[in-house]
Amino acid sequence: MTSLLEPGAATGPRTGRPRRRRVGAGGRRGVPLPLLLPGLLALAFLLLPLLALLVRAPWHSLPEQLSSTEVWQALQLSLVSATAATAVSLVLGVPLAWLLARTQFPGRGFVRALVTLPLVLPPVVGGVALLLALGRNGVIGRWLDAWFGITLPFTTAGVVLAEAFVAMPFLVISVEGTLRAADPRYEEAATTLGASRFTAFRRVTLPLIAPGIAAGAVLAWARALGEFGATITFAGNFPGRTQTMPLAVYLALQNDPDAAIALSLVLLAVSIAVLAGLRDRWMTTS
Amino acid sequence: MKTRSVRRTRRTLQLAGAGAAALMALGACSSSSNSKDSASGAPDAASPKLSGNVTVFAAASLKEGFTTLGKEFEKDHPGTKVSFNFGGSDTLAASITGGAPADVFAAASPKTMAIVTDKKDAAGTPATFVRNQLEIATLPGNPHKVAALKDLTASGLKVVLCDKTVPCGAAAQKALDAAGLKVTPVSYEQDVKAALNKVELKEADAAVVYETDVKSAGGKVEGVEFPESAKAINDYPIVLLKNAPNAAAARAFIALVRSAEGQKVLGEAGFLKP
């Protein structure tokens, strides 16, 4: 029996019983059943629904399903609005992440918690909140309407806002983490050599954290693409203007399941493409 | 040594596979049921011993009336509990045909009921228990002077309609066709309550909804009747579902809905008699 206090006891993975500690083929230890079984179940649980989509897909009618103008309208709108929402998130979110990571101000932890709130908020609640704030009768929207004649609900801009609202936190959290991990001494060195703080950010920090920003942007983009609740609540549903892919899927499911499956396949393909783009981040084999 | 551990891993994998297969088999198993073809909602006062949970899937527009009736039912039969799932009739129909455990389905149109009966998921034939007429919901005080269906075509007026896949949208389309009008809304909402909410929140100027919805909104919206609504009156069918976990109590609930008492409550909510 080894005690936990023995030197080296805490290093390296250990499997419960001594007789299981025999090294097997290829230097790997035997897999304990209590871990293998739930692990495989988890894998099945995550993959089976997606496989079911493929199995039940109306392959023979897929071309005509996907050639309807409504589908392309929805897909085009989805791609454009998700990209625009990502752009909005980048322009506003990266500076926010920098403020959270690099400056000291009272209540910073609280602000950080507020930023992550939309991550856990049900999207429909986000949509209602947006309506109450930016709607025609909203707290701010009322003045937008009175002064500039801008109404956001039921417009493509409204879709972009709803998507940015749920997607921006992903970007902010991701970039902030990268900034915290990045060495601040490079920026400090740049400022001592005469660069202003903004120049240092632009020429030193940004290139340094570019991979983190890219990963955060892809995450935000994927989240925006799949956004349903906030969009339908805030922007409504009008083909070509506010009907994104998830809305089209939901409404197609009502009367034409085959069309809904076909649309889902398109979204699934896009998601897989995004994952493939990120494979060096998450799908490493090492 | 080597072979033993390899064999052990393989055995573990086989076991895991068998376990997963067993679980899937369990999932694929459907609950057996007594599919006695009883006419839906035959009043059976002979079985006063009802208990357990009754799950009712009902169209969004039935919310107020059915909630009242559910409370009444629980009072009449202590030990029972009525749980409601209110939503767009199509969404409900889709989840029922997808195997959702429900006892009763009350739809806002025969067409959405047909989704369930076509899949042989209903026990018996659906019965129409109320009818509902369309109305225009406008802002309180009717600032845009909406007086008829054709006023909805005015430019600059923000109108919301239900999506054509849901009964209120199909009915609105029917009424518009009957009047020979073409209305371009700002949004096709996913159910009637969503359409009503947009007017309640003053985000839209008008919505074509049911009379019952205008009633339920209290003073938040103003109702405008229009003659074309007579061409698009919706029948509401109700049916006992084949795989009902609690068929006895479900029958009693349907009986209550169709009784004079139930009709009175639904009439107060703005529904018309079948």
Side-chain angles (χ1 to χ4, degrees), chain B residues 104-159:
Chain B
V104 177
F105 179 41
S109 72
K111 190 166 153 274
T112 44
M113 179 55 83
I115 298 172
V116 171
T117 50
D118 288 353
K119 281 266 190 337
K120 306 275 184 292
D121 280 329
T125 36
T128 300
F129 64 103
V130 282
R131 296 155 81 221
N132 207 348
Q133 195 156 358
L134 293 173
E135 229 177 50
I136 299 167
T138 63
L139 300 174
N142 199 348
H144 297 278
K145 303 276 179 291
V146 177
L149 202 54
K150 69 167 178 359
D151 295 341
L152 297 184
T153 57
S155 65
L157 193 75
K158 284 193 192 309
V159 181

Side-chain angles (χ1 to χ4, degrees), chain A residues 124 158 177 217 240:
Chain A
V124 175

Side-chain angles (χ1 to χ4, degrees), chain A residues 20 22 24 33 36-37 40-41 48 131 135-137 151 153-154 232-233 236-238 241 250-251 254-255, chain B residues 1 5-6 8 12 16 23-24 90-91 158 163 165 185-190 198 201-205:
Chain A
R20 279 214 179 269
R22 193 180 288 112
L33 197 60
L36 184 71
L37 207 55
L40 287 174
L41 268 180
L48 276 176
L131 264 187
R136 198 171 57 163
N137 199 37
T151 50
F154 312 122
I232 201 163
T233 311
N237 164 54
F238 190 85
R241 196 162 54 210
Y250 176 79
L251 288 159
Q254 319 279 353
N255 60 346
Chain B
M1 276 218 343
S5 92
V6 167
R8 190 187 304 126
T12 337
L23 260 163
M24 281 168 216
D90 310 73
T91 317
K158 284 193 192 309
D163 194 78
T165 56
V186 287
S187 172
Y188 293 103
E189 294 293 317
Q190 76 268 31
K198 293 289 194 286
L201 289 170
K202 298 192 170 60
E203 293 303 335
D205 301 316

Side-chain angles (χ1 to χ4, degrees), chain A residues 43-272:
Chain A
L43 192 65
F45 169 66
L46 293 175
L47 286 182
L48 276 176
L50 302 180
L51 282 176
L53 259 186
L54 294 177
V55 169
R56 294 287 305 276
W59 294 110
H60 56 283
S61 64
L62 202 56
E64 63 183 277
Q65 292 276 19
L66 295 181
S67 60
S68 79
T69 47
E70 277 214 355
V71 171
W72 287 107
Q73 260 185 344
L75 184 61
Q76 195 183 357
L77 182 75
S78 267
L79 296 175
V80 168
S81 57
T83 308
T86 308
V88 170
S89 303
L90 279 170
V91 170
L92 302 176
V94 173
L96 176 60
W98 187 86
L99 288 176
L100 287 174
R102 285 282 189 271
T103 59
Q104 294 289 349
F105 57 88
R108 197 180 59 166
F110 180 66
V111 172
R112 195 170 178 277
L114 282 183
V115 169
T116 49
L117 199 57
L119 281 181
V120 288
L121 202 67
V124 175
V125 177
V128 173
L130 282 170
L131 264 187
L132 297 179
L134 299 171
R136 198 171 57 163
N137 199 37
V139 180
I140 306 162
R142 178 176 315 186
W143 306 111
L144 285 179
D145 191 21
W147 293 343
F148 310 106
I150 298 174
T151 50
L152 290 164
F154 312 122
T155 61
T156 307
V159 176
V160 173
L161 279 180
E163 289 179 350
F165 182 77
V166 293
M168 200 191 294
F170 278 89
L171 184 96
V172 173
I173 298 305
S174 166
V175 174
E176 195 220 13
T178 316
L179 272 167
R180 280 183 190 283
D183 197 334
R185 283 177 303 178
Y186 292 109
E187 289 166 66
E188 284 157 19
T191 46
T192 53
L193 292 170
S196 71
R197 222 171 163 190
F198 181 67
T199 310
F201 168 79
R202 204 165 48 87
R203 303 289 302 273
V204 179
T205 318
L206 268 186
L208 204 62
I209 59 167
I213 294 180
V218 173
L219 262 182
W221 187 84
R223 180 67 191 82
L225 190 77
E227 217 301 306
F228 171 81
T231 310
I232 201 163
T233 311
F234 182 61
N237 164 54
F238 190 85
R241 196 162 54 210
T242 65
Q243 188 181 66
T244 56
M245 282 295 271
L247 272 60
V249 171
Y250 176 79
L251 288 159
L253 202 52
Q254 319 279 353
N255 60 346
D256 190 358
D258 276 3
I261 296 170
L263 287 165
S264 306
L265 282 180
V266 175
L267 273 182
L268 187 65
V270 171
S271 313
I272 289 172

Side-chain angles (χ1 to χ4, degrees), chain B residues 216-242:
Chain B
S216 73
K220 294 202 198 95
V221 302
E222 193 165 307
V224 178
E225 291 181 11
F226 57 98
E228 294 88 348
S229 63
K231 302 240 182 11
I233 291 181
N234 257 6
D235 288 350
Y236 279 55
I238 191 166
V239 80
L240 172 73
L241 293 168
K242 200 176 72 188

